[in-house]
Amino acid sequence: MARLLSCFGCFPCFRSQPPVTTELGPVQDSGKTNPLIANSVHNSLTVSRQSPASSSLESHQDAMSATQSPDLAEEHVLCTACHSAASNSDLLPTLKKGTENFRSYASLSELKLSSLSGCHLCSLLFGVLRGSDIGSGSVQVSLFVSRSGGAWLKVGILNPGETREKIMGELSVFRNLEGRLDNPPEPASPFMFPDPSIYRNARLSKSLSHDVSAALAREWLRQCVTSHKDCALAANLGTSNHGYPTRLIQVTGDENLNLRLVLTENFSKSKPPYLTLSHCWGAAKILRLLLDNLADFQHQIPFNQLPPTFREAARVTRQLGHTHIWIDSLCIIQDSKADWRDESKIMGDIYANSVCTISALTALSSVQGCFAEKSPDGKENTPRNPLAFRICHLPHGLHVDCHQRLDTFLQIDRSPLPLHTRAWVLQERILGPRTVYYGTWGLAWECVECLATESKPWGEVGRFSPKADFLRECIRASSSSSSGGDSSTALFSAWRAVRAAYTGCQLTYFDDRLVAVSSLIQRIERLTSWKNLWGMWEDKLLDELLWFTDAPSDRPHTREYLAPTWSWAGLEGRVFEEMALMPRVGPSGEDLLPEWIGKVVETGMDEKGRGYVRLRGAVKRVMRRRDGSGGGLVDRDRGGDHAVASWAADTVEDSKRPLGIITGQQEGLCCLLLARNADENPDQVLDLGLVIRQNASGEAVRIGRFWQARGDTRPLFPAEIRESDMEDVLVI
C-alpha cells in the first residue's frame, strides 16, 4: 500500500494546475505545499528534464512549450509512484531479460485520477484501458524484457477472487528514439509550418475547443484553400448551380454565440461561403427544425437547447473564420416529407459546395460533441488527455510509446471510427472538398491532396482515401470531357471502390440504400453520358451484373419498391466486382481480354413498376446436388451427383433451401452464361454467369452467381457457344 499512498500523495504536487474534476470528485489544492511532496516533485521534474537525445529535440521542445500556457499539458512529468517504480526497477537500467511487477492501482478510477493530475506515464497506461469496463478489478502493470532486449509494460486487470490478471494491452519501452519520432516535413510536404509551435501546441492541447487546436485547423484550411491545386479543381466540380442550400445557420458572436436560420433565396448579393457538419445522429431526441418552429428559428435558434455536437460545430465555424454552417436536422424541415425529398436529392451537392466539412469522427450521437469530451450518453465529462498519445521519457535514458494513435488512414487498428461506419456519411466525406475531423484521437484533416493528423501535421498523400481516389478521377473525367479524351475505365474503377466501401456501412433505414449514395451517382452522370439503373450503370451492365457479396445475406422488406433482384441495391452486405474479368497481360505482353457471351437486349420498367433486364445468353437447366451439401450445381438433363459448377447464393434463404423437398425440377434453376475470362492456360478459363429461378410465365429472378473452370471434367457449357444454345431471359 505504500506505493499507492505515495501515488495519491503526489496529486496536489503539480503546481499551477487548476482543480481537476473526475468521477471521484474534484482534486482540491489547499494552497499549502508539503515539503516532502515538493521534494519528490522536484525529482520527477528533474527526470523529465534530463538532456534528451538529439533525435528527441522536437519532443523536448514540445514539452518546454507546454509550460507557457494553462491550455497545454506538460510532457514527461511523473507522479511519485511512477518515478519510484522506474528509478528502482532491476530490469530497466540494463534491459536484462526478466519479468517484474512494475506498479499497481487499486482501481481504474485511481489510474484515471493520476492521469488527469498530470502524470505522463499514468496517462499512457490509462490510454490502454480507455473505454474498457473492468468492473471492480485492480490494475496491474508488469515489466517484461525479452532475451533480445525488447521491453514492454503489460497492463492487466486482476478481478476479485482471481490469482492471474487478464492482459488488456501493452506499451513499448525502448532506448533509441530513431524511427519513433515523426519525420520532419520534406520540402514537398502538402503543409509547411514556418511556425512549428502551431502543431506542437495543438498536440498538447487539453481541449479541442481551445484556440491552440483551432490554430492548427485554421492553418490546414488556409493552406489548402490557397495552395492545393487539386483541391481547388475538386471544389469547382461542385458549382453553386447545383445544390446550394435552401437554408443555412448564421453564426455570429465569439464567446456568446448567436444562431439563426436564414433563407438563402433572400441573399440579395453573392451567396456566402459556408461550412457543413457531418455527424452520427444516434437515438437521442434533439432540437430539430419543424414546421412549427420554422418562423422562430429565423429569429433565433436557442443555443443552449442544442446538443453538444451542434453547439461545438457552431464554435468551430467561428474559430475557422466563417459565419454560416449547414446542419441537416436544423436546415431540413424534419416533419415535411416534401422538403426532405427535395433537400435529400441535393445533399451531396450541399457538401460539395461547402468550403470545408466539420466531422465529429468518434461521437456515437449528437450528445457526445465534436470535441469528444462527453460520454456516449452525454452525462459524464471525459476530458481530453493529449499525453496519452505522446512518447514519455523515463529514467535511465528510456522512453515509453503510446498504445495507439490515429493513423493517416483515419483508422485505429485498421478499423474505421464510428462516423465512417455510417452509409449516409460516405458521400458527405467524398464530395466535400475538405474535411477537418474532431474526436477522441485529436484533430485530423482530409482533402484531395493529403491526409494529416496531429502526429503528422504536414500531411502525406492520401493512400486509400475515398475522397482523394474518387475526386481525382472526377477531375480527370472533367478534363477528358473538355479535351475529348477517355477516362471512363478509371472512373468506373473508382465507383466500384466507392460501392464496396458504401455497402459495408450501416443504414438505419434500408429504404435509403439508393438515396444515400445518389449524389455520387449524380456526380458521375454529370461527368459522363452514363445512365444509372437502380445503382447499376447501363453502359456497363453485363459487367455490373456479376457483382457478389462476401456472404449470403438478406433482402429486407421496404415500404416501397427498391430495386430488381439483378441489382445489388436490394441486398444487404458488402458488394464486390468480379475480379476474374479484369484485363490481363499475356506471356508475350499481349492483352488478354474477357469474352462476353451474353448480351443486354432491353432494360425498362414493367406495368407493376418493377425494373427488368432482358438478357440473351447460353442457358442450362440445373439442380442442386442431391447429397445435401448444397455446394454445387449439376446439369439437370445429365443427372448424377457430380457437382459441375460452383455457385454462391445471394440470400441466406436460398443458400439453405432444404434439398429433397424442393427438387431441381420444382425450383426452375438455370445457369445463365454471361462471360469467360481470359487466361493463357485454356483449362484455367472460367465460365461466369448468373443463377436464376424461372417461373411458369418465363420471368426469372437472380438468386446468385456461378463459376466453373473449363478444365473441369464435366463443364456445363460447350467450348463453342452456338446460336442454338442462346435464349432470351427476362430477369426482374
Side-chain angles (χ1 to χ4, degrees):
M1 289 299 294
R3 278 189 171 184
L4 298 178
L5 291 173
S6 67
C7 181
F8 276 113
C10 78
F11 289 155
C13 75
F14 296 95
R15 306 170 195 170
S16 302
Q17 291 283 345
V20 179
T21 301
T22 72
E23 59 188 37
L24 294 182
V27 180
Q28 301 295 337
D29 185 350
S30 64
K32 299 179 181 179
T33 304
N34 185 318
L36 296 177
I37 294 175
N39 185 55
S40 69
V41 174
H42 174 73
N43 292 335
S44 295
L45 293 176
T46 300
V47 170
S48 72
R49 294 293 180 252
Q50 291 182 56
S51 298
S54 59
S55 60
S56 67
L57 179 59
E58 181 185 348
S59 181
H60 183 64
Q61 290 171 333
D62 285 0
M64 294 300 291
S65 68
T67 63
Q68 306 302 312
S69 170
D71 291 344
L72 305 181
E74 186 171 1
E75 294 179 286
H76 316 309
V77 175
L78 305 181
C79 66
T80 305
C82 284
H83 175 229
S84 177
S87 299
N88 298 327
S89 168
D90 293 331
L91 302 181
L92 283 181
T94 59
L95 292 182
K96 63 180 180 181
K97 182 179 183 298
T99 302
E100 69 180 15
N101 295 327
F102 187 76
R103 67 159 304 180
S104 62
Y105 303 83
S107 65
L108 182 63
S109 298
E110 181 185 325
L111 172 57
K112 179 180 180 180
L113 187 59
S114 186
S115 71
L116 291 176
S117 297
C119 176
H120 195 157
L121 184 55
C122 288
S123 298
L124 291 171
L125 295 170
F126 184 70
V128 175
L129 300 175
R130 181 177 46 198
S132 302
D133 182 10
I134 68 170
S136 58
S138 62
V139 180
Q140 306 294 321
V141 183
S142 57
L143 175 62
F144 173 81
V145 183
S146 68
R147 180 177 301 176
S148 63
W152 300 270
L153 288 174
K154 295 182 177 288
V155 185
I157 301 300
L158 182 62
N159 291 311
E162 297 181 354
T163 57
R164 296 188 63 180
E165 65 266 23
K166 177 183 178 182
I167 301 301
M168 305 294 289
E170 60 188 30
L171 301 174
S172 176
V173 181
F174 52 93
R175 194 177 301 279
N176 188 356
L177 278 169
E178 185 176 354
R180 296 277 183 171
L181 295 176
D182 302 320
N183 295 324
E186 299 293 335
S189 295
F191 294 113
M192 301 299 295
F193 292 89
D195 181 5
S197 68
I198 292 177
Y199 63 80
R200 290 175 181 165
N201 289 343
R203 289 169 172 172
L204 297 175
S205 176
K206 292 180 181 178
S207 172
L208 296 182
S209 66
H210 291 162
D211 196 62
V212 288
S213 290
L216 178 58
R218 278 195 303 271
E219 189 62 19
W220 280 335
L221 178 58
R222 185 191 68 79
Q223 291 194 36
C224 180
V225 169
T226 59
S227 304
H228 289 181
K229 294 181 180 179
D230 283 351
C231 299
L233 291 172
N236 289 333
L237 290 173
T239 65
S240 59
N241 294 329
H242 298 286
Y244 192 83
T246 303
R247 307 171 192 92
L248 288 170
I249 305 298
Q250 185 182 66
V251 185
T252 57
D254 291 313
E255 292 300 321
N256 299 317
L257 298 181
N258 297 304
L259 276 63
R260 73 180 186 95
L261 188 71
V262 294
L263 305 182
T264 59
E265 65 180 12
N266 294 332
F267 291 136
S268 57
K269 298 181 180 179
S270 60
K271 297 176 180 178
Y274 63 91
L275 308 182
T276 44
L277 174 65
S278 183
H279 67 106
C280 292
W281 277 51
K285 293 183 179 180
I286 59 173
L287 183 67
R288 302 174 301 155
L289 178 64
L290 305 171
L291 290 169
D292 286 346
N293 59 23
L294 178 59
D296 292 338
F297 274 23
Q298 292 177 62
H299 175 67
Q300 186 177 38
I301 299 175
F303 183 79
N304 292 332
Q305 294 180 28
L306 292 174
T309 297
F310 295 1
R311 296 198 303 265
E312 292 168 10
R315 190 162 301 283
V316 172
T317 299
R318 295 297 297 126
Q319 288 177 329
L320 296 181
H322 286 266
T323 57
H324 291 83
I325 184 171
W326 186 88
I327 299 175
D328 46 13
S329 58
L330 296 180
C331 294
I332 300 176
I333 303 173
Q334 299 298 299
D335 56 352
S336 169
K337 290 184 179 180
D339 194 62
W340 187 90
R341 182 180 61 250
D342 293 341
E343 296 300 304
S344 64
K345 290 178 181 177
I346 62 170
M347 194 174 296
D349 292 315
I350 290 174
Y351 283 88
N353 287 323
S354 69
V355 175
C356 182
T357 297
I358 302 166
S359 284
L361 184 58
T362 57
L364 297 173
S365 72
S366 55
V367 301
Q368 266 192 284
C370 297
F371 302 145
E373 295 178 350
K374 293 285 185 182
S375 58
D377 60 8
K379 296 179 180 179
E380 181 185 351
N381 291 327
T382 56
R384 163 178 158 92
N385 188 348
L387 299 178
F389 313 117
R390 305 293 297 158
I391 292 175
C392 174
H393 300 335
L394 292 182
H396 314 296
L398 296 172
H399 316 277
V400 182
D401 203 352
C402 68
H403 178 57
Q404 293 173 318
R405 60 170 58 90
L406 184 66
D407 59 36
T408 50
F409 297 160
L410 302 180
Q411 296 181 344
I412 297 294
D413 286 341
R414 299 183 180 180
S415 297
L417 291 166
L419 184 68
H420 289 164
T421 65
R422 306 304 303 172
W424 271 102
V425 167
L426 185 68
Q427 65 179 11
E428 300 170 5
R429 177 185 182 183
I430 290 177
L431 292 178
R434 307 169 188 90
T435 305
V436 58
Y437 293 97
Y438 286 76
T440 305
W441 303 93
L443 286 176
W445 174 269
E446 184 179 23
C447 62
V448 179
E449 294 204 4
C450 73
L451 287 157
T453 62
E454 288 180 358
S455 60
K456 292 187 177 179
W458 36 82
E460 60 182 34
V461 175
R463 295 171 294 168
F464 309 110
S465 165
K467 181 196 295 289
D469 293 344
F470 183 77
L471 290 182
R472 281 198 185 106
E473 295 309 328
C474 287
I475 292 169
R476 292 190 183 100
S478 178
S479 176
S480 297
S481 176
S482 59
S483 63
D486 182 18
S487 61
S488 60
T489 300
L491 186 58
F492 186 50
S493 296
W495 157 253
R496 284 178 153 181
V498 166
R499 183 182 64 185
Y502 171 74
T503 51
C505 294
Q506 303 166 10
L507 276 169
T508 302
Y509 304 105
F510 194 77
D511 299 68
D512 295 341
R513 180 78 155 174
L514 280 173
V515 70
V517 75
S518 60
S519 291
L520 288 166
I521 292 173
Q522 292 168 12
R523 173 61 61 86
I524 295 176
E525 287 178 328
R526 288 178 199 156
L527 293 171
T528 66
S529 58
W530 303 348
K531 179 182 178 182
N532 196 269
L533 304 170
W534 294 281
M536 311 275 282
W537 296 106
E538 186 177 38
D539 300 70
K540 302 178 181 296
L541 194 52
L542 274 181
D543 200 346
E544 287 271 75
L545 286 169
L546 290 170
W547 58 265
F548 65 95
T549 56
D550 50 3
S553 57
D554 296 309
R555 293 188 183 275
H557 174 74
T558 54
R559 294 187 298 270
E560 298 178 354
Y561 179 78
L562 181 61
T565 61
W566 45 269
S567 168
W568 57 267
L571 195 70
E572 289 182 331
R574 188 186 292 269
V575 175
F576 300 95
E577 74 271 17
E578 179 53 72
M579 299 298 293
L581 295 174
M582 300 269 304
R584 301 177 58 190
V585 178
S588 302
E590 72 277 18
D591 291 333
L592 299 177
L593 302 176
E595 177 188 1
W596 292 100
I597 307 296
K599 296 179 181 179
V600 176
V601 178
E602 180 187 9
T603 61
M605 186 179 295
D606 64 15
E607 67 280 358
K608 296 180 181 179
R610 302 174 302 177
Y612 69 82
V613 57
R614 189 180 303 277
L615 298 170
R616 185 165 182 77
V619 177
K620 280 288 182 182
R621 274 67 181 170
V622 296
M623 61 184 181
R624 306 174 195 235
R625 293 179 64 179
R626 292 195 182 99
D627 62 7
S629 69
L633 299 171
V634 296
D635 189 328
R636 197 172 71 195
D637 298 330
R638 298 180 192 176
D641 290 331
H642 181 66
V644 296
S646 300
W647 81 295
D650 291 339
T651 66
V652 174
E653 179 185 4
D654 279 319
S655 70
K656 295 182 177 180
R657 279 184 179 269
L659 303 177
I661 298 175
I662 301 177
T663 66
Q665 186 71 32
Q666 292 169 324
E667 268 195 289
L669 294 186
C670 297
C671 284
L672 175 60
L673 178 64
L674 295 182
R676 282 175 175 158
N677 77 329
D679 198 290
E680 57 268 21
N681 183 350
D683 288 344
Q684 297 300 315
V685 171
L686 288 177
D687 285 350
L688 298 154
L690 303 183
V691 181
I692 57 176
R693 182 187 295 120
Q694 285 184 305
N695 59 23
S697 64
E699 290 181 346
V701 294
R702 168 182 162 142
I703 67 167
R705 56 187 281 277
F706 80 90
W707 61 97
Q708 182 187 30
R710 295 296 308 159
D712 284 1
T713 56
R714 301 182 67 182
L716 277 179
F717 296 93
E720 182 179 352
I721 303 297
R722 296 168 298 184
E723 185 60 30
S724 60
D725 298 317
M726 304 288 281
E727 296 182 22
D728 280 5
V729 179
L730 183 72
V731 188
I732 58 174

